Amino acid sequence: MTVAITPQTTTRQELVDRVARLRRERNAVILAHNYQLPEVQDVADYVGDSLGLSQQAASTSADVIVFCGVHFMAETAAILSPDKTVLLPDLDAGCSLAATITAEQLREWKRQHPGAVVVSYVNTTAEVKAESDYCCTSSNAEAVIRSIPEDREILFCPDMFLGAHLERVTGRRMHVWMGECHVHAGIEPQQLDAERRLHPDAELLIHPECGCTSSTMYRMSSGDIGGPATVVTSTEGMVRRAAASPASTFIVATEVGIIHRMQQLAPQKRFLPASDAAVCGYMKMITLEKVAASLERMQPRVTVDPAVAARARRAIDRMMAVSRGEVAAA
Ligand code: 13P
Ligand code: SF4
């Protein structure tokens, strides 16, 4: 099909119209993560967390997936939908957490722990997923860990804060890779404390990748801090809680882009970032201009080597099965 290349437009509305026209012409679906820029979220067909985006990528009938997120997410879409064209509007949109472990480092770790079950957070490259038994996201990590028989040794990578959170909620001891996301690790417990002092009635919504999660949960369980609910959950879980909770003010400990979605779903409520500096520069690389350009040029594409994809797919499929409540032994 031939698609006319239009000259550079200037206004926001012209860009939005151009994206809408190209989406129709290409039979494309636009998937956006909760951290995307507001104008990108607003043109998306679906906005959600890593698990929701994977489910959408697996089930779409579109020919083209425009992935407004970061590279590992687009790779996951390409693994789940090998017959679709997956566009990532800026190939440099990486992830500091995914960069903390390579497939070779994981192979070496496995050599040190023969027989261990490997659980990799979705924020990893396709090559790392291919070396793993299970994938997990922040939505289903607890269920994945609980599904593994008690007598099996577990290697969990790459996020140390999510790993510590999982050890606490499941009571399982695991070997945890010492990786972190620079955005979430940068949200200090002291910042959270300062916000709580200013807004004692606010509910806390915390992403498990946060450096403040472990200390906050420890202090809550020891009775050191009390007050309204503290909810540790995925980005989509945070959005849902914000809409459903009876509270009117929330301290949001994750990337600030999520507040756009919360504000849309609950305009009468107040959402305060735990840290104004919690901005993921990689997520913000995806702009409306780049979304339009990628649809126009059908570039840049994300593809995964079929042999790597087949091995990574097993780990992702086991995660999806656990999410559906099925048994998925490694
Ligand atoms: P979610 O799966 O909770 O959306 O998290 C993804 C992510 O990259 C968090 O930084
Ligand atoms: Fe990666 Fe952190 Fe950005 Fe999420 S917020 S995409 S974990 S760098």
Side-chain angles (χ1 to χ4, degrees):
M1 182 205 314
T2 356
V3 174
I5 306 280
T6 50
Q8 193 65 38
T9 52
T10 45
T11 69
R12 168 73 55 84
Q13 192 51 51
E14 282 172 321
L15 263 179
V16 170
D17 293 345
R18 194 167 131 210
V19 168
R21 172 178 62 78
L22 287 162
R23 173 189 7 222
R24 259 192 327 274
E25 290 170 351
R26 300 295 196 195
N27 186 27
V29 66
I30 301 177
L31 306 182
H33 187 265
N34 285 318
Y35 299 160
Q36 287 290 294
L37 290 167
E39 59 268 31
V40 173
Q41 293 191 29
D42 292 348
V43 296
D45 298 291
Y46 176 85
V47 185
D49 64 2
S50 304
L51 179 65
L53 293 168
S54 302
Q55 287 164 335
Q56 292 291 322
S59 64
T60 182
S61 58
D63 297 319
V64 177
I65 298 172
V66 185
F67 211 105
C68 301
V70 293
H71 195 270
F72 76 82
M73 296 179 177
E75 270 189 341
T76 307
I79 293 165
L80 289 168
S81 286
D83 52 333
K84 317 269 181 215
T85 300
V86 177
L87 302 173
L88 179 62
D90 189 328
L91 281 186
D92 289 332
C95 168
S96 60
L97 177 56
T100 62
I101 187 163
T102 64
E104 186 41 44
Q105 285 173 313
L106 178 51
R107 278 191 288 272
E108 177 51 33
W109 205 27
K110 282 164 63 173
R111 276 192 285 274
Q112 292 164 15
H113 299 275
V117 177
V118 178
V119 181
S120 290
Y121 191 38
V122 68
N123 296 44
T124 45
T125 61
E127 286 78 11
V128 166
K129 289 185 181 76
E131 291 293 332
S132 308
D133 297 299
Y134 291 86
C135 184
C136 72
T137 73
S138 51
S139 291
N140 54 30
E142 185 180 336
V144 167
I145 299 300
R146 288 192 193 279
S147 76
I148 299 168
E150 289 284 339
D151 58 345
R152 299 292 302 273
E153 193 179 14
I154 299 176
L155 303 181
F156 180 84
C157 71
D159 190 79
M160 61 175 160
F161 297 113
L162 177 59
H165 172 68
L166 291 170
E167 287 192 309
R168 191 176 40 248
V169 293
T170 64
R172 286 292 286 269
R173 292 279 75 82
M174 308 189 291
H175 301 280
V176 177
W177 192 258
M178 287 289 112
E180 62 176 28
C181 149
H182 71 295
V183 179
H184 287 89
I187 303 175
E188 305 278 350
Q190 301 88 292
Q191 288 177 295
L192 208 55
D193 286 349
E195 278 300 312
R196 281 181 62 90
R197 272 194 299 277
L198 285 172
H199 308 280
D201 296 331
E203 189 171 301
L204 287 188
L205 301 176
I206 305 183
H207 195 276
E209 283 175 28
C210 284
C212 58
T213 312
S214 303
S215 67
T216 303
M217 297 313 284
Y218 173 76
R219 288 164 61 224
M220 291 218 21
S221 58
S222 63
D224 202 12
I225 47 174
T230 295
V231 180
V232 182
T233 181
S234 74
T235 57
E236 196 57 23
M238 294 168 94
V239 169
R240 278 199 297 266
R241 175 71 195 175
S245 163
S248 59
T249 307
F250 300 82
I251 298 168
V252 181
T254 193
E255 212 272 355
V256 296
I258 198 171
I259 290 180
H260 176 65
R261 192 114 184 270
M262 292 173 167
Q263 208 71 77
Q264 277 184 329
L265 286 175
Q268 74 289 2
K269 296 184 181 178
R270 201 165 162 222
F271 300 102
L272 308 162
S275 164
D276 288 321
V279 178
C280 176
Y282 297 116
M283 286 280 181
K284 297 329 188 214
M285 291 173 94
I286 310 299
T287 61
L288 209 47
E289 286 84 354
K290 290 180 194 172
V291 172
S294 70
L295 271 167
E296 215 149 44
R297 299 184 192 127
M298 291 294 280
Q299 291 288 346
R301 296 183 189 202
V302 171
T303 54
V304 178
D305 172 78
V308 172
R311 293 174 64 217
R313 173 97 201 216
R314 286 181 322 195
I316 297 170
D317 283 347
R318 283 194 191 110
M319 166 185 86
M320 298 288 210
V322 172
S323 271
R324 292 191 298 268
E326 298 163 14
V327 177

